[in-house]
Amino acid sequence: MITFIALICAAAVTAFLTFSRFARTDSWRATVTPLASIIGSGFLICGPILAREFGRAAIIAEAILLLIAYAAGAVIRFNIVHVENYLASARVNDPLAWLARATQGVLAIAYAISVAYYLKLLAEFLLKPFDTDPAWHMLASNAIVTTFIVAIVALALGNGLRRVEHLAHGTVALKIGIIAGLLAALACWWLTNAAADPLPPARVNWSSISLLLGLVITVQGFETSRYLGHAYDQALRIRTMRHAQWIASAIYLAFLALLTPFLARAAQAEGVAGILDIMTIVGPALGLFVLVGAVSSQLSAAVADSIGSGGLMSEVTQRRVSVQVAFALAGSLAVAVVWLTDPFEVVAISSRAFALFYALQCSLAFIVARRTATAGGARQMGFLLVGMVCIVATLVGAPAEG
């Protein structure tokens, strides 16, 4: 029954977001881009990791992580108006213009690393059903990811990436539908089961805080609104980025709250794909449900970030490096990250890269606010505070233990 309800909810939400008039509005289209990036499979891996590190305080830890992301989003929303307008009339040799280019370069690298993160998770979910030797598992995982990266680069060189991009964007409605189905399944379990595991004790220490900062990648993605100026005006991008963060935050917190009866088992789940074990308890067929959602979301996110990384690299070099060569460079970096890290390490490395990008965005906001007097002293101090948090995350964000 629970699986049936999950399927009905997933089908209904997917159909609405695919065929309704609302799904074709500019407001939803501008919301979907950052929303799809934020809710990759991050919400699937956060539950077991936070349960293991924070115990019953896992949902509080998740709320803090989302607040940090929302604060960084507020900085970028300021930059959408004030930094964009300032740079539009700035001199070519203005130091701020150079800082903006450096920021784009950092984002290009962060996107390339995140491709490794997304595909590494995809491989872990694909291999989760198989009980294999750890050494063989790692080799198979890296081989799968490398194959995907080589395929993406080959498509880019052969001008076939746009067709894959359209297909990837088409999975967004499916991904959100599957999330709705999972939430419905967990809610039904709450209503039909009185018993629950005893909650693990709350734990907070320096290592758990550094791990939390190493999960920035799981709530990242809202910054894509900053680079949609070719399609949408500033007011729409600001409003829809805010909406995307609200929706994503509600999904993350609802999922972790509904996961509460399973926190003890979640804390014992092995690997980044441990959520498959939990959802199989809720409904035997829900493991496959999670698998389809995870694979589709990770593949679409990897394609999107490959496009972003290659495009930004070419733009930062003022087209001296062609988009095709930039794709090859980004793919090479992603492959190197894949073979030099494990799944938990790549989460932390990706998080550090994006935290550095957000810190640079805070620097841009602070400098422009000082030069143009477009923000008061309290807001400028807020930019500095968020920037400091992001710098700390860049320096100390740590991987979870496997």
Side-chain angles (χ1 to χ4, degrees):
M1 176 60 81
I2 289 179
T3 302
F4 177 74
I5 291 173
L7 287 171
I8 293 297
C9 287
V13 172
T14 300
F16 177 76
L17 295 180
T18 302
F19 303 111
S20 70
R21 182 177 299 176
F22 167 77
R24 294 190 292 273
T25 63
D26 282 347
S27 180
W28 175 244
R29 290 179 184 276
T31 301
V32 138
T33 299
L35 179 61
S37 296
I38 299 170
I39 53 170
S41 291
F43 78 102
L44 292 177
I45 71 171
C46 274
I49 292 175
L50 293 178
R52 187 183 312 141
E53 293 297 324
F54 292 91
R56 68 180 65 187
I59 194 167
I60 298 174
E62 182 64 50
I64 292 171
L65 187 61
L66 290 166
L67 283 173
I68 293 172
Y70 194 78
V75 173
I76 293 179
R77 286 191 285 276
F78 174 87
N79 290 351
I80 284 176
V81 175
H82 301 291
V83 172
E84 283 185 10
N85 292 347
Y86 181 91
L87 291 175
S89 58
R91 302 187 309 275
V92 176
N93 60 350
D94 189 322
L96 197 68
W98 284 96
L99 177 59
R101 285 179 62 189
T103 302
Q104 286 183 299
V106 169
L107 182 59
I109 294 172
Y111 276 149
I113 297 172
S114 71
V115 171
Y117 155 72
Y118 288 127
L119 294 179
K120 198 100 163 178
L121 284 188
L122 183 152
E124 289 299 311
F125 276 98
L126 286 176
L127 294 173
K128 176 67 176 177
F130 304 99
D131 185 16
T132 58
D133 176 79
W136 186 91
H137 179 98
M138 181 65 73
L139 182 63
S141 173
N142 291 348
I144 290 171
V145 177
T146 302
T147 301
F148 273 115
I149 293 173
V150 170
I152 291 172
V153 172
L155 285 168
L157 296 177
N159 296 319
L161 192 62
R162 289 300 168 189
R163 288 191 293 272
V164 179
E165 180 188 7
H166 293 320
L167 178 63
H169 287 173
T171 66
V172 171
L174 173 64
K175 176 167 61 176
I176 296 175
I178 286 177
I179 289 171
L182 292 176
L183 293 176
L186 287 169
C188 287
W189 194 95
W190 268 81
L191 295 173
T192 57
N193 291 269
D197 294 341
L199 295 179
R203 296 182 298 273
V204 179
N205 52 48
W206 172 247
S207 64
S208 60
I209 292 173
S210 62
L211 180 141
L212 183 67
L213 294 175
L215 291 175
V216 169
I217 184 69
T218 63
V219 292
Q220 159 277 329
F222 48 87
E223 76 285 337
T224 54
S225 294
R226 171 84 166 80
Y227 300 99
L228 293 176
H230 64 284
Y232 308 107
D233 61 40
Q234 291 175 338
L236 183 61
R237 282 183 287 149
I238 289 171
R239 184 174 71 253
T240 53
M241 190 216 285
R242 189 181 291 115
H243 291 168
Q245 287 197 282
W246 289 348
I247 295 169
S249 296
I251 288 172
Y252 271 84
L253 293 176
F255 189 77
L256 201 50
L258 292 171
L259 203 63
T260 298
F262 306 98
L263 280 184
R265 273 174 279 192
Q268 302 300 318
E270 294 183 1
V272 292
I275 192 66
L276 281 171
D277 300 330
I278 305 301
M279 294 310 299
T280 302
I281 296 171
V282 177
L286 289 180
L288 180 61
F289 213 58
V290 172
L291 185 61
V292 171
V295 170
S296 64
S297 64
Q298 297 309 99
L299 188 56
S300 63
V303 170
D305 280 12
S306 295
I307 293 168
S309 181
L312 282 169
M313 283 187 183
S314 180
E315 186 177 326
V316 166
T317 60
Q318 296 181 327
R319 308 300 177 188
R320 293 187 182 92
V321 174
S322 69
V323 173
Q324 287 79 8
V325 172
F327 264 106
L329 291 173
S332 299
L333 176 57
V335 169
V337 171
V338 166
W339 285 94
L340 294 174
T341 63
D342 65 34
F344 289 103
E345 288 173 334
V346 77
V347 172
I349 292 171
S350 301
S351 294
R352 288 184 171 197
F354 277 101
L356 177 58
F357 167 73
Y358 297 141
L360 292 174
Q361 285 287 317
C362 291
S363 300
L364 286 172
F366 179 77
I367 294 169
V368 168
R370 295 281 290 181
R371 288 187 181 183
T372 61
T374 50
R379 199 172 185 187
Q380 291 177 29
M381 289 300 296
F383 295 153
L384 289 178
L385 179 60
V386 176
M388 289 173 61
V389 172
C390 292
I391 290 171
V392 171
T394 302
L395 296 175
V396 306
E401 295 297 326

